[in-house]
Amino acid sequence: GHHYIAELSARFICHLFCCVAARTKTDMPLPSFISAVLQRIRLHSNVPYVALVLLQRLKARFPRARGSSGHRLFLSTLMIASKMVCE
C-alpha cells in the first residue's frame, strides 16, 4: 500500500539532492526502504508528504545542499514531520 509514496519519495529525494538510491551492495534500495519504514511505523498518511515538503524547503533554503544518503534524509525528515503532524 505504500509503494506509490515510496517510489515518489525516492525519486524526489534523489533528484533534489543528487544522491543515489543505494550507495553500496548492502544498502536496501531507497524505495524499498521507504516502503518498509512506512509499513512498520503506521503513521498518518500525510506524514510522508509533509516530510517531502520539509525536504523541498531545506533545498530552497540551501540550494547547494547535496545528500550522500537518501535513506538518512528521508528518515530524518520523517521524524520531524511526524512530530509536526501528530502533536
Side-chain angles (χ1 to χ4, degrees):
H2 300 288
H3 299 293
Y4 173 75
I5 185 62
E7 193 65 39
L8 176 74
S9 299
R11 286 187 199 159
F12 185 79
I13 292 167
C14 292
H15 174 74
L16 204 60
F17 291 95
C18 302
C19 57
V20 294
R23 293 183 54 101
T24 65
K25 292 179 183 178
T26 59
D27 282 344
M28 181 184 286
L30 187 55
S32 300
F33 173 78
I34 293 171
S35 183
V37 167
L38 294 177
Q39 185 175 4
R40 285 187 179 100
I41 59 176
R42 296 184 181 134
L43 290 171
H44 191 275
S45 60
N46 291 337
V47 173
Y49 295 105
V50 173
L52 295 180
V53 169
L54 291 174
L55 284 169
Q56 190 276 329
R57 288 182 178 180
L58 174 69
K59 186 64 175 184
R61 175 82 184 230
F62 302 101
R64 291 184 162 189
R66 293 203 181 266
S68 62
S69 172
H71 299 71
R72 290 179 182 173
L73 284 168
F74 180 76
L75 202 53
S76 299
T77 54
L78 187 68
M79 288 188 291
I80 295 168
S82 172
K83 185 157 179 65
M84 289 173 61
V85 171
C86 295
E87 290 186 1

